[in-house]
Amino acid sequence: MTEQVHIAIAFERAGWHPAAWRESTARPNELTSPAYWRDLLRTADDSGVALATIEDALSLTDRFEPLEGLRRDRVRGRLDAVLIASFVAPLTRRIGLVPTVTTAHPEPFHVATGIQTLDFASRGRAGVRLVAGASAAERANFGRRAAGVDGIPASGRVEDSPEIIAAFREAGEFADVLSRLWDSWQDDAIIRDAATGRFLDADRVHNIEFEGEFFSITGASIVPRSPQGRPLLTVLAHQTVPYRLAAAHADLVFTTPHEAGGRPGFELDGIRAELDAAADELRTGDERLRVYADLVVLIEDTGAAARSALARLDEWDGAPLTSDARIVVGTPGDVADVVRELAAAGVDGVRLRPARQPADVVAITEKLVPLLRSTRTLREDDGAGTLRARLDLARPESRYVREKVAL
Amino acid sequence: MSRSIRQIHLAAHFPGVNSTTVWTDPTAGSQIDFASFEHFAATAERGLFDYVFLAEGLRLREHKGRIHELDVLGRPNTLSILAAVAAITEHVGVVGTLNTTFNEPYELARELATLDHLSGGRAGWNAVTSSDAFHGANFRRGGYLNHADRYERAREFAQLAKELWESWPVDGVRADAATGVFLDDGVPAGVRHSGPQFDVDALFDVPRSPQGRPVIVQAGDSADGRTFGAEHAEVIFSLHQEFEDAREFYDDVKGRLAQYGRGEDSLKILPAATFAIGDTEEEAKERSREIALQQVRPEVALTYVEQVWGRDLSGYDPDGPLPDVDPDTGSETARGWANRHAAVRARIAKLRELSEAEGLSIRELVIRLTAQHTFVGTPAHIATEIDRYVQERATDGFTIVGHLTPHGLDEFAERVVPLLQERGSYRQSYEQGATLRDLLGLPALQTARAQSAPALAAR
Ligand SMILES: Cc1cc2nc3c(=O)[nH]c(=O)nc-3n(C[C@@H](O)[C@H](O)[C@H](O)COP(=O)(O)O)c2cc1C
């Protein structure tokens, strides 16, 4: 039997190519409109794509882009990703909704309740992707933290930056607090016992009493336990430090393998070996960490058309497209080949970053997905109601129930 | 008659977690499942309300050291639920309570601007300050502000948020594919703000939203609260429901507007209003009584007096007289509530007076204090009353608080609203594409400041 994978789409404003907004099919004046996001997410939902991530940042500039000399030929401005996801929740039926949240400034309490509410509004399809640390631009917008991460160190290794290490410790605490808050109400906490006049059983709701290096959070969530119990927690990881964050806290990790035996640290076997070692050491739950591979894709009906589209975009931007993820430019068949290769190598899913929105989203849903379906590469939806069920992840029991059982 | 008929504004309060919301009724539904919000929002829209409204609570209430069990508990995150509600509605505004103490201006401003975009200009923000160490314990920064400083922060917060929202001009996105210019030089304007609470050098990352900024609502009642309201608010959600009291509040707050260069119409006052409807006056009174008994069940009544007395009164009979013991303010004093001491004693003296004069039991007293419904009567009576408040300038309308989730608004929308329409003081339909500011009849935003803001060249 062929190995099967789930397909995810990573939504990012006009697409992942910085010049994508100049395409004739782009909708650059609608990037903050409800219609734009409704159309894109419904298209993905209808096609059988398992989940959608939505990018975000708390700044006008991109993550490590210098504040000075702002390039005005790129898309600027965006909407809050958690709210885009919440908005499309009642307008979609099956697709998982996974907005990006940074961990340096937002309050974990607000994020926990926001994602739980997304889980209610989507009837069990919520997740979140955590990003560690704040950029210099984000810090200036908030004005609370003078020092922090200012880019990847010259060595390219995050281990060489004490600021990044600290940011990841904070992200770990953030993730821990989320899952504790999500567990704070047991499923059966609401009793509506008219006889005693008790709406709630206080013994089944738990203040989390979390004390960490970066914050202490005392109370329980204000939101009752949501349909999935714990919404899906995900991170994107490229190196040891984020691999360890994923292994310790995430349900699903997005990785960026390039060709096998290609760039060191960027081939799938090496990534999996690191993840496995980290999981052996750090992982506590019963579930295996799900591994997705990221691909930037630009799709046209012929290879020549795809290459010339890329050339046009690169020329507009003044530089060839670069990415942390492998870039695949070609026909639906070309992309399907790469997806099959990754499937054979054992990933659980492939997250496609469309170079252009909506053009490549349409190509993914109308051409690529049917192709993957016909070759039985696509993991079909078995009608599972929640995102966790769809990804074969069990609905976790609240840790407080477990503790009680263990007593 | 020379004066034109003043138009009534109505907001729909999604039932909260206090004892107003009856959960023991067989028709009471979930306070958290999305289906409840779908039903509630659809009713509000059918009743042509200006907006649906959500309160905020950032920690589960505790009583005698335990999570409170008697009232509805557990509610959604305000912003996320409003974004979802915006998706399933077309006209009605979406307004949420979001405090200024445990949020950061940049983050909240972008969330609210997002909500304004996603709703097509229907977003509103009820800016509250309320917080204390108990709520603060759920946040990174803890409970770090006293009452006076909270409004300091609120003012600075609102000021900074407005600067961020206005830092993008109208139609600020050029997105000229031919020339490759996405944004013109100087867009957005940089926002440099340095104050006691915030010191930022910000570039806002959400393009100007349909309303320019969300409608700002305010709910505090202290002198500081009213000053903040007169300066920044476009709607005030008050608790002044009794006619004379409402008119005093109206005069007081609207009287403060001139010093900020604002006119009477730039601020709407919409007190909370509860109701009980019957086919006859008698039936309505009976209904009101039934609702009150469900709202103030014996155990709820006892909890209320325990909170006022600050001590365990579980031995007392809710149907008997008030406790004869003194309040225990010791523990509160120890937690830094020194000036509560006098207030609590004063309150208890008043409660005793009232209960003795009228021979009220604990439960009857609490019903009197917390479950007197604002409007009780036939639909015609209620419509007449609401209209009278508005025509005589005691309010601009009401924030309707039903007692049931999610059907609590249905009867009001079906029976009272048509009568308001007949009187000519309530809209017959929504105007296509109206923003929340349009629905509320608020003046258009002054955009001059944004237009003349010095462009930050090549930033
Ligand atoms: C009608 C009304 C509704 C309120 N709703 C909320 C609420 O939902 N959440 C909250 O934290 N505070 C709420 N508050 C309190 C805050 O608005 C206010 O910041 C607090 O009372 C302190 O200000 P003050 O002393 O001016 O009243 C409400 C107050 C009133 C009068």
Side-chain angles (χ1 to χ4, degrees):
Chain A
M1 199 192 110
T2 356
E3 297 295 333
Q4 296 191 322
V5 286
H6 281 296
I7 295 297
I9 298 181
F11 289 97
E12 157 66 327
R13 295 185 283 184
W16 290 78
H17 196 294
W21 67 271
R22 294 179 68 178
E23 285 282 271
S24 60
T25 50
R27 299 163 63 178
N29 281 299
E30 293 174 52
L31 302 179
T32 56
S33 75
Y36 180 72
W37 292 102
R38 181 190 304 136
D39 293 352
L40 282 173
L41 270 295
R42 274 190 174 159
T43 300
D45 189 40
D46 291 343
S47 75
V49 165
L51 66 95
T53 60
I54 303 168
E55 294 302 305
D56 207 353
L58 294 169
S59 60
L60 188 71
T61 47
D62 285 339
R63 203 152 171 71
F64 295 121
E65 190 180 359
L67 269 167
E68 298 309 315
L70 182 75
R71 279 185 70 162
R72 294 188 170 274
D73 61 343
R74 293 187 168 178
V75 173
R76 302 294 170 187
R78 59 164 87 239
L79 298 182
D80 179 83
V82 175
L83 297 185
I84 293 176
S86 305
F87 176 79
V88 298
L91 306 175
T92 50
R93 294 165 300 148
R94 300 179 308 174
I95 196 166
L97 299 170
V98 185
T100 296
V101 164
T102 65
T103 59
H105 288 294
E107 291 284 355
F109 193 85
H110 291 322
V111 172
T113 60
I115 302 298
Q116 282 182 298
T117 300
L118 173 62
D119 209 32
F120 275 104
S122 64
R123 296 171 162 96
R125 295 181 283 123
V128 64
R129 181 173 82 84
L130 296 183
V131 175
S135 65
E138 288 174 334
R139 291 198 302 276
N141 290 334
F142 282 77
R144 275 177 48 202
R145 296 180 176 209
V149 180
D150 276 317
I152 307 287
S155 66
R157 291 160 28 103
V158 301
E159 293 93 311
D160 297 339
S161 161
E163 290 86 6
I164 297 184
I165 302 278
F168 273 91
R169 284 204 310 278
E170 183 181 27
E173 274 189 18
F174 199 104
D176 196 8
V177 167
L178 292 189
S179 79
R180 284 169 194 271
L181 286 168
W182 292 342
D183 275 355
S184 63
W185 290 56
Q186 295 176 211
D187 285 319
D188 53 2
I190 294 176
I191 54 174
R192 290 178 180 264
D193 183 12
T196 60
R198 287 156 74 229
F199 178 79
L200 189 89
D201 178 354
D203 290 337
R204 300 181 211 170
V205 180
H206 308 270
N207 286 332
I208 68 167
E209 311 283 0
F210 176 87
E211 285 287 341
E213 177 189 357
F214 296 88
F215 31 76
S216 65
I217 308 289
T218 305
S221 177
I222 52 158
V223 185
R225 195 161 174 83
S226 70
Q228 293 185 97
R230 282 182 224 147
L232 197 73
L233 212 151
T234 76
V235 298
L236 167 65
H238 304 97
Q239 301 192 20
T240 305
V241 172
Y243 290 152
R244 291 175 67 83
L245 175 72
H249 297 286
D251 297 300
L252 189 161
V253 59
F254 300 110
T255 63
T256 51
H258 289 242
E259 286 96 325
R263 295 156 60 186
F266 282 88
E267 35 90 26
L268 189 59
D269 287 349
I271 292 171
R272 290 166 62 96
E274 275 219 59
L275 282 169
D276 287 346
D280 281 345
E281 183 191 335
L282 302 167
R283 205 161 174 79
T284 51
D286 306 328
E287 289 282 3
R288 180 176 64 79
L289 176 63
R290 303 298 198 264
V291 180
Y292 278 44
D294 275 12
L295 297 175
V296 177
V297 293
L298 189 155
I299 305 172
E300 290 285 349
D301 286 342
T302 68
R307 282 187 298 277
S308 90
L310 178 65
R312 181 172 68 234
L313 291 169
D314 285 352
E315 192 186 316
W316 277 331
D317 193 52
L321 175 66
T322 58
S323 175
D324 54 326
R326 178 174 169 188
I327 300 167
V328 184
V329 176
T331 64
D334 296 336
V335 179
D337 287 345
V338 178
V339 171
R340 262 196 302 277
E341 224 173 82
L342 287 162
V347 297
D348 299 287
V350 175
R351 182 172 75 148
L352 303 172
R353 306 186 193 174
R356 305 160 301 173
Q357 287 173 202
D360 290 309
V361 178
V362 172
I364 290 166
T365 55
E366 288 184 0
K367 306 267 172 63
L368 176 64
V369 168
L371 194 55
L372 294 171
R373 182 168 280 138
S374 71
T375 55
R376 306 182 64 77
T377 312
L378 186 75
R379 275 285 304 271
E380 287 298 348
D381 180 7
D382 58 5
T386 69
L387 176 58
R388 275 190 178 275
R390 193 171 198 183
L391 303 188
D392 274 337
L393 285 156
R395 183 178 189 278
E397 190 101 79
S398 159
R399 75 196 61 208
Y400 297 98
V401 176
R402 283 204 205 188
E403 277 170 16
K404 232 180 270 170
V405 171
L407 279 179
Chain B
M1 205 184 80
S2 57
R3 282 187 311 163
S4 61
I5 303 176
R6 275 164 54 84
Q7 291 297 297
I8 296 167
H9 295 281
L10 293 179
H13 191 310
F14 188 85
V17 302
N18 45 43
S19 65
T20 318
T21 310
V22 172
W23 58 263
T24 49
D25 191 286
T27 65
S30 166
Q31 86 284 18
I32 190 72
D33 289 344
F34 192 63
S36 290
F37 291 89
E38 288 177 315
H39 179 89
F40 185 78
T43 309
E45 203 149 62
R46 197 152 38 84
L48 306 175
F49 278 63
D50 286 5
Y51 61 85
V52 293
F53 177 73
L54 258 80
E56 180 186 59
L58 295 173
R59 185 147 175 209
L60 301 179
R61 294 173 183 184
E62 289 186 7
H63 181 61
K64 294 195 284 191
R66 266 170 69 81
I67 290 172
H68 184 53
E69 295 182 309
L70 303 180
D71 297 337
V72 172
L73 232 64
R75 52 166 117 212
N77 172 289
T78 302
L79 284 161
S80 297
I81 200 72
L82 292 179
V85 167
I88 53 156
T89 52
E90 207 183 328
H91 304 288
V92 74
V94 286
V95 179
T97 304
L98 296 150
N99 82 87
T100 53
T101 303
F102 301 117
N103 284 293
E104 293 298 321
Y106 191 92
E107 190 181 12
L108 192 59
R110 81 192 289 277
E111 289 166 333
L112 285 162
T114 296
L115 187 63
D116 205 39
H117 277 289
L118 292 174
S119 63
R122 296 183 281 136
W125 170 35
N126 178 27
V128 300
T129 64
S130 65
S131 75
D132 48 38
F134 179 69
H135 292 95
N138 281 347
F139 297 93
R140 287 177 190 265
R141 301 186 71 182
Y144 63 104
L145 286 177
N146 62 33
H147 188 274
D149 289 344
R150 295 209 305 263
Y151 273 107
E152 266 310 307
R153 182 175 164 103
R155 256 195 297 278
E156 210 178 311
F157 196 119
Q159 194 54 49
L160 175 50
K162 285 179 178 175
E163 286 174 42
L164 292 169
W165 287 321
E166 289 169 17
S167 66
W168 286 70
V170 177
D171 298 327
V173 174
R174 175 170 297 279
D176 184 342
T179 61
V181 174
F182 191 85
L183 283 189
D184 286 327
D185 282 350
V187 176
V191 174
R192 176 91 200 92
H193 173 103
S194 188
Q197 287 291 334
F198 307 106
D199 186 4
V200 308
D201 194 357
L203 279 172
F204 196 50
D205 72 325
V206 185
R208 195 180 189 85
S209 70
Q211 290 189 104
R213 63 166 192 250
V215 169
I216 297 181
V217 183
Q218 192 270 347
D221 202 25
S222 62
D224 281 347
R226 292 180 186 203
T227 304
F228 176 83
E231 183 175 357
H232 291 292
E234 292 160 294
V235 178
I236 292 185
F237 175 38
S238 88
L239 288 176
H240 300 273
Q241 323 168 325
E242 194 275 317
F243 187 87
E244 284 309 324
D245 184 37
R247 193 149 63 177
E248 258 169 49
F249 182 77
Y250 186 98
D251 288 344
D252 175 48
V253 176
K254 296 239 175 170
R256 295 169 191 245
L257 290 174
Q259 63 187 294
Y260 300 102
R262 304 178 62 190
E264 181 185 351
D265 278 343
S266 67
L267 173 68
K268 307 292 173 187
I269 298 180
L270 307 181
T274 54
F275 63 91
I277 300 177
D279 288 337
T280 63
E281 197 187 322
E282 274 317 299
E283 197 185 309
K285 280 189 179 145
E286 220 167 280
R287 187 84 197 96
S288 171
R289 176 77 187 155
E290 278 166 25
I291 296 169
L293 288 172
Q294 283 183 299
Q295 287 170 325
V296 186
R297 289 166 284 114
E299 54 278 5
V300 170
L302 208 55
T303 302
Y304 184 90
V305 289
E306 283 184 328
Q307 282 164 352
V308 177
W309 258 253
R311 62 166 28 178
D312 177 17
L313 300 172
S314 46
Y316 283 83
D317 176 6
D319 293 320
L322 280 188
D324 44 16
V325 292
D326 280 339
D328 172 10
T329 50
S331 59
E332 287 196 332
T333 308
R335 285 165 57 198
W337 289 102
N339 55 5
R340 266 268 182 102
H341 194 105
V344 169
R345 277 183 193 285
R347 184 109 195 257
I348 286 172
K350 263 210 187 124
L351 297 188
R352 267 199 211 293
E353 232 170 75
L354 182 62
S355 85
E356 271 161 31
E358 306 190 19
L360 302 177
S361 67
I362 290 177
R363 190 178 181 196
E364 291 295 343
L365 178 76
V366 177
I367 286 178
R368 181 71 61 88
L369 292 172
T370 66
Q372 298 276 74
H373 303 123
T374 320
F375 298 117
V376 179
T378 61
H381 169 79
I382 294 177
T384 306
E385 275 295 280
I386 288 178
D387 201 31
R388 179 172 74 99
Y389 272 73
V390 173
Q391 301 312 325
E392 296 182 19
R393 285 185 155 69
T395 72
D396 295 295
F398 289 95
T399 302
I400 303 296
V401 187
H403 72 280
L404 287 176
T405 305
H407 298 101
L409 205 60
D410 299 18
E411 203 182 0
F412 188 95
E414 277 152 27
R415 302 186 68 185
V416 180
V417 164
L419 301 181
L420 297 175
Q421 290 174 319
E422 277 176 21
R423 307 181 75 93
S425 45
Y426 195 69
R427 67 171 60 86
Q428 302 288 336
S429 63
Y430 288 115
E431 197 183 313
Q432 267 310 318
T435 64
L436 174 57
R437 195 167 264 108
D438 295 335
L439 293 182
L440 284 162
L442 292 164
L445 266 197
Q446 289 291 330
T447 53
R449 209 163 61 81
Q451 309 298 23
S452 65
L456 235 79
R459 266 218 48 183

